[in-house]
Amino acid sequence: MEKPFVYADNAATTNVSDNALNAMLPYLKEQYGNPSSIYTLGMDAAKAVLNARRQVAEALGAARPSEIFFTSGGSEADNLAIKSAAEFGAKNGKRHIITTNIEHHAVLHTCEHLEKHGFEVTYLPADEDGIVSAQQVENAIREDTAIVSVMAINNEIGSILPIEEIGEVCKKKGVLFHTDAVQAIGQLHFDLKNMNIDMLSISGHKFHSPKGVGALYVRTGTPLESLIHGGAQERGKRAGTENVAGIVAMGVAITDAVSGIDERNIRLAKMRNRLIDNILAAIPYSRLNGGRECRSSGNVNISFRGIEGESLILALDIRGIAASSGSACTSGSIDPSHVLTAIGLNEELAKGSLRLTLGDGNTDEDIDYILEVLPETIKRLRSMSPMWQRICREEGIPDYTVQ
Amino acid sequence: MAKKRVLAAMSGGVDSSAAVKLLLDEGYEVAGATMHLYNNEDIGIREKTCCSLNDVEDARLVALKLGIDFHVFNFSDEFKSCVMDNFVDTYLAGGTPNPCIECNKHLKFGSFLDRAKLLGFDFIATGHYVTSHFDEASGRWLLKRSADRSKDQSYVLYGMTQEQLAHTLFPVGAMNKPEIRAIAEENGLINAHKRDSQDICFIPDGDYASFITERAGEQPEGDIVLSDDTVLGRHKGLIHYTIGQRRGVGVSYSEPLFVTAKDMASNRLIMGNAEQVCSKRLTAGDVNYITIDKLTSPLRCTAQTRYHQKDVPCTIYPTGENTAEVEFDVPHKAVSKGQSVVFYDGEYVIGGGTIEDSAR
């Protein structure tokens, strides 16, 4: 019998779709021109990049394709947006940045870097559901605020933040607004020409294009300063020969991603709810992290007492389930999640978390399999966990793992 | 029969890399794992990255070359609480800690072994220079010094329980360092840039005093005295000195003087002559035995009170549940609180404990 494999880590990355792959392949072999070359092969590549730019702009409801700047991915887009805004802000004496304490490291570490260079950063605290309100943003805006950066959907607990309202507040106050929408493509409807979002980051591999391609949307009229200097690609704002094949793939993939948002959300939410309800019912001393409302349709994040996340992930891997816990550390191990700590979890619960993120490839059979494997895995790990035994002893909990 | 599964603790260095190769040759199914024990910023390295990422990448590369699965386990919390904090606390209490022993006890044969069992491995393996085997006569697992005495690491493994020994393989212990190096070279497992492992991995520059003061603040200066209270000078904080130290104290006297004690209560550094720096007796706590279940009557053996030291004849006496008293045949130099005393019967480790007190 073939070993089962369930991929439940779609917030980490996704596979490349057939449409995206077929679209990109010619640009690796036959159509390998450099878009900056003036002969036909080069111009064809330039046309393909422009077409993708148009597709991305359309998918996001941007006013014009020239508002899309291709990057190497979401992290570069976040860095570009925030560092550019900081640089322009500083020229006008604005050295204050507002963000949240549940952002991705691409935003948090960029802000920390700017703090070392004389910027002051306000990290708005998310509530226990992982939400930061427009009111919080409004209260934090100052005369010298250069940019507000608030993510659209949190990558760990799937909370959907009120970016439309936050955008309105920023517009009212005349402050630039950036959102990291890396997790939101194919989940939320964007109509950027009618939304008060000045900059928005996306990452191709989160919606079935290859890794190594992303984009920053920059509303016309918003100043943008280069992060990477060199040639005049991307209208002089992002040097480096374009990742033509990746860009072409992303154009196709984002078109597919936004064409079925409502159907996707209904399908994923059904599977998600089945997972949440059954896990909480079947496994004692488990809790859902983040709220049920305003939650991304594919996100499940549950903490188990007496469990150590890294062990759980490895144990699930043995059973053919790919999931995550905390934030992936560069070494290939797992660091406790700053997001779970930010929404009020203690260290034990933050370390004992499991994130399952569903995507287009998941089926009801996948959910059946997870629900079959997870309770027994948790039970087995608890039966071997000194932490669980201590909890039972100290809190007088009968240990159900003992026969 | 299914192959036995072994999880090798890999540092990326020569010994653990060769250990994996030896296990594969013996027919085991092997996977490797590196422990992520600290972040650079925790140990004063400014770069904000995980642990010593280079070491992890070295280990990953070796695993790739040998074609085995590879994991990284994040044990930084355990390492901080069990090893680094303990290191600072012991120093502040006037002792001389041995963090490698704590790491072996809590991390390698604690968290790492637990994780391996949980993942269904039959054994773990390390690159330690020791050997172990099951002794039918006594019904116990025994730990023996390495064939290469100059590399022997039995001193830091005396705390191993029977359960831990039963699940641990030491593939390199039966060989000597040149043989191991040759195996690593033949298989392209040598990392040219690899430094020799440090005394204390989390203090790469060796400046343990700075490590402590960064965490516990500057330590107060005080008097340097002889045992009769004669004041010889001023010390710059007791953590800067170790028992048995002769040079660098900054006092002169008619005969060579050694640090004999640190009086934490009065913050005085006590000096004495060659005779006064030797101890006839010591008491050990947290004692673990390997060859025997427990000590019930006095036992003649040899003992070692430092890592690289020749063992000397002594008698050990049972004093309590996990305590013992050691009486040296000849007064023994520089017995330091916090270090370990390890008992040997020839090449075999009888057991050992933490030095709690000593007396002339």
Side-chain angles (χ1 to χ4, degrees):
Chain A
M1 205 180 84
E2 205 181 321
K3 191 184 163 190
F5 178 69
V6 173
Y7 185 73
D9 203 13
N10 286 275
T13 194
T14 59
N15 62 355
V16 176
S17 69
D18 289 342
N19 282 349
L21 183 67
N22 291 333
M24 77 186 281
L25 282 177
Y27 294 92
L28 297 171
K29 285 296 275 186
E30 299 87 23
Q31 299 284 341
Y32 54 86
N34 185 326
S36 298
S37 302
I38 61 166
Y39 42 78
T40 310
L41 192 70
M43 284 192 298
D44 283 349
K47 259 189 264 176
V49 170
L50 181 62
N51 187 50
R53 199 184 307 282
R54 186 186 56 75
Q55 288 171 314
V56 174
E58 206 162 278
L60 296 174
R64 46 183 74 91
S66 61
E67 294 179 323
I68 305 302
F69 294 83
F70 291 117
T71 67
S72 64
S75 290
E76 188 192 325
D78 287 341
N79 270 264
L80 176 59
I82 296 169
K83 286 176 180 167
S84 167
E87 194 168 323
F88 278 100
K91 282 180 190 158
N92 298 310
K94 295 181 174 184
R95 297 186 148 265
H96 178 232
I97 295 167
I98 297 171
T99 186
T100 78
N101 62 356
I102 58 167
E103 296 296 313
H104 189 271
H105 282 152
V107 169
L108 284 181
H109 289 173
T110 300
C111 288
E112 285 166 18
H113 169 80
L114 289 168
E115 279 182 294
K116 286 185 205 146
H117 290 81
F119 287 83
E120 194 186 327
V121 181
T122 300
Y123 299 93
L124 296 173
D127 67 14
E128 62 173 8
D129 289 342
I131 306 290
V132 170
S133 71
Q135 188 64 52
Q136 279 175 281
V137 173
E138 184 162 7
N139 295 346
I141 291 177
R142 312 191 312 211
E143 282 292 308
D144 64 341
T145 303
I147 185 173
V148 171
S149 180
V150 175
M151 69 199 327
I153 294 182
N154 181 270
N155 49 312
E156 293 191 35
I157 54 174
S159 53
I160 300 174
L161 287 90
I163 52 168
E164 284 200 67
E165 291 89 324
I166 292 171
E168 277 167 34
V169 164
C170 291
K171 188 180 184 194
K172 190 172 78 182
K173 297 272 189 173
V175 177
L176 278 182
F177 176 48
H178 164 254
T179 186
D180 173 345
V182 163
Q183 295 291 337
I185 303 307
Q187 288 275 324
L188 303 181
H189 292 280
F190 286 98
D191 182 22
L192 290 172
K193 58 186 170 300
N194 295 313
M195 294 168 93
N196 295 306
I197 293 172
D198 298 304
M199 294 189 276
L200 175 143
S201 305
I202 67 171
S203 169
H205 73 103
K206 307 291 188 185
F207 51 86
H208 304 288
S209 7
K211 292 149 191 74
V213 62
L216 181 68
Y217 157 84
V218 183
R219 175 183 290 275
T220 305
T222 305
L224 188 68
E225 182 62 41
S226 289
L227 190 64
I228 295 174
H229 300 94
Q233 291 89 352
E234 300 301 288
R235 292 178 305 295
K237 299 301 185 187
R238 202 283 187 178
T241 301
E242 297 87 342
N243 172 5
V244 179
I247 288 168
V248 166
M250 187 166 74
V252 170
I254 198 168
T255 307
D256 289 347
V258 300
S259 70
I261 290 181
D262 295 331
E263 298 79 1
R264 177 182 301 111
N265 280 338
I266 290 167
R267 197 178 83 87
L268 295 187
K270 214 174 130 197
M271 292 194 285
R272 174 199 68 188
N273 292 341
R274 223 181 113 213
L275 273 179
I276 294 175
D277 293 338
N278 286 286
I279 291 171
L280 293 180
I283 303 176
Y285 300 95
S286 57
R287 58 156 276 170
L288 179 68
N289 298 319
R292 280 194 177 242
E293 305 299 317
C294 296
R295 185 177 198 109
S296 159
S297 58
N299 177 288
V300 175
N301 190 314
I302 290 181
S303 284
F304 305 97
R305 297 204 62 187
I307 290 288
E308 207 257 308
E310 205 171 78
S311 302
L312 176 57
I313 298 312
L314 294 170
L316 289 175
D317 183 37
I318 291 173
R319 302 292 304 272
I321 297 172
S324 100
S325 168
S327 59
C329 161
T330 20
S331 71
S333 61
I334 294 172
D335 273 341
S337 154
H338 69 278
V339 174
L340 296 182
T341 317
I343 63 167
L345 269 67
N346 63 24
E347 197 187 320
E348 181 209 329
L349 286 171
K351 281 191 94 173
S353 75
L354 171 69
R355 182 187 74 174
L356 301 163
T357 44
L358 307 174
D360 290 340
N362 291 114
T363 62
D364 285 328
E365 288 70 42
D366 291 348
I367 309 303
D368 292 339
Y369 184 66
I370 294 169
L371 289 174
E372 174 196 324
V373 169
L374 188 59
E376 67 191 40
T377 303
I378 295 285
K379 189 174 175 183
R380 185 172 72 85
L381 294 183
R382 278 177 172 165
S383 73
M384 299 168 78
S385 155
M387 196 188 355
W388 170 252
Q389 283 146 24
R390 198 193 64 233
I391 290 165
C392 290
R393 200 169 54 242
E394 286 176 1
E395 300 180 22
I397 297 170
D399 187 352
Y400 77 108
T401 69
V402 178
Q403 295 304 314
Chain B
M1 208 176 88
K3 282 184 178 181
K4 290 281 186 188
R5 300 181 68 223
V6 184
L7 185 66
M10 295 177 71
S11 65
V14 168
D15 300 327
S16 58
S17 302
V20 172
K21 175 68 180 129
L22 289 169
L23 290 167
L24 288 169
D25 291 347
E26 282 178 52
Y28 288 103
E29 182 186 332
V30 188
T34 295
M35 295 186 287
H36 162 191
L37 297 177
Y38 45 81
N39 295 310
N40 278 345
E41 63 265 30
D42 296 340
I43 61 168
I45 296 176
R46 291 286 167 255
E47 257 175 275
K48 190 168 181 174
T49 58
C50 278
C51 49
S52 34
L53 258 188
N54 284 338
D55 290 349
V56 172
E57 289 311 303
D58 286 347
R60 198 188 298 279
L61 194 62
V62 170
L64 184 72
K65 282 182 180 164
L66 292 172
I68 62 169
D69 284 348
F70 180 76
H71 304 284
V72 183
F73 299 156
N74 187 341
F75 293 145
S76 51
D77 286 353
E78 292 89 334
F79 190 76
K80 183 179 182 303
S81 61
C82 298
V83 181
M84 293 204 281
D85 290 352
N86 173 280
F87 179 83
V88 173
D89 293 346
T90 305
Y91 253 111
L92 293 177
T96 309
N98 191 327
C100 297
I101 288 175
E102 296 302 316
C103 179
N104 283 329
K105 186 191 291 182
H106 298 286
L107 278 298
K108 281 202 189 87
F109 304 107
S111 305
F112 189 89
L113 177 57
D114 288 347
R115 179 67 67 81
K117 285 182 187 169
L118 198 136
L119 297 177
F121 287 93
D122 301 295
F123 301 102
I124 62 168
T126 73
H128 283 115
Y129 281 85
V130 288
T131 61
S132 67
H133 65 90
F134 186 72
D135 177 52
E136 297 287 349
S138 61
R140 295 184 71 82
W141 283 91
L142 304 181
L143 184 68
K144 196 178 171 189
R145 286 196 197 267
S146 169
D148 186 343
R149 181 64 185 263
S150 67
K151 286 282 155 191
D152 173 49
Q153 291 174 304
S154 59
Y155 177 81
V156 292
L157 298 174
Y158 75 87
M160 289 186 74
T161 64
Q162 288 293 304
E163 164 76 7
Q164 290 164 348
L165 283 165
H167 289 100
T168 305
L169 305 176
F170 300 111
V172 306
M175 305 180 116
N176 60 35
K177 185 78 182 193
E179 290 171 322
I180 291 302
R181 187 168 285 281
I183 289 170
E185 265 168 17
E186 280 162 24
N187 292 280
L189 307 179
I190 300 270
N191 296 298
H193 64 275
K194 197 86 195 161
R195 296 164 289 137
D196 267 348
S197 56
Q198 304 293 312
D199 279 348
I200 299 175
C201 67
F202 55 90
I203 308 180
D205 61 358
D207 186 355
Y208 69 91
S210 295
F211 182 87
I212 295 162
T213 52
E214 270 165 32
R215 281 152 188 80
E218 286 296 331
Q219 300 301 304
E221 293 181 9
D223 285 335
I224 300 173
V225 298
L226 289 174
S227 56
D228 64 2
D229 291 344
T230 310
V231 176
L232 299 172
R234 298 283 289 171
H235 69 73
K236 54 185 182 181
L238 290 175
I239 58 161
H240 294 275
Y241 307 87
T242 52
I243 306 296
Q245 181 179 346
R246 182 178 158 196
R247 294 170 202 283
V249 179
V251 293
S252 56
Y253 198 64
S254 55
E255 59 180 320
L257 289 181
F258 302 84
V259 174
T260 62
K262 299 181 192 183
D263 184 344
M264 303 312 284
S266 65
N267 191 31
R268 295 189 309 172
L269 187 69
I270 300 165
M271 307 291 290
N273 60 23
E275 190 185 322
Q276 289 166 318
V277 77
C278 292
S279 304
K280 177 73 175 160
R281 257 179 288 279
L282 68 82
T283 55
D286 214 2
V287 174
N288 177 62
Y289 293 108
I290 293 177
T291 51
I292 51 176
D293 183 38
K294 59 181 173 188
L295 187 68
T296 49
S297 57
L299 182 66
R300 288 288 299 164
C301 60
T302 61
Q304 194 174 319
T305 59
R306 302 235 159 167
Y307 201 154
H308 301 291
Q309 187 183 57
K310 183 159 174 34
D311 48 331
V312 296
C314 67
T315 306
I316 51 177
Y317 299 89
T319 54
E321 189 55 36
N322 57 355
T323 59
E325 183 161 312
V326 181
E327 187 178 44
F328 295 102
D329 290 9
V330 176
H332 193 55
K333 195 181 164 190
V335 173
S336 308
K337 208 165 67 172
Q339 290 280 296
S340 292
V341 58
V342 180
F343 315 128
Y344 290 90
D345 174 5
E347 298 293 291
Y348 288 93
V349 177
I350 296 171
T354 310
I355 299 167
E356 292 184 338
D357 209 356
S358 61
R360 270 193 292 146

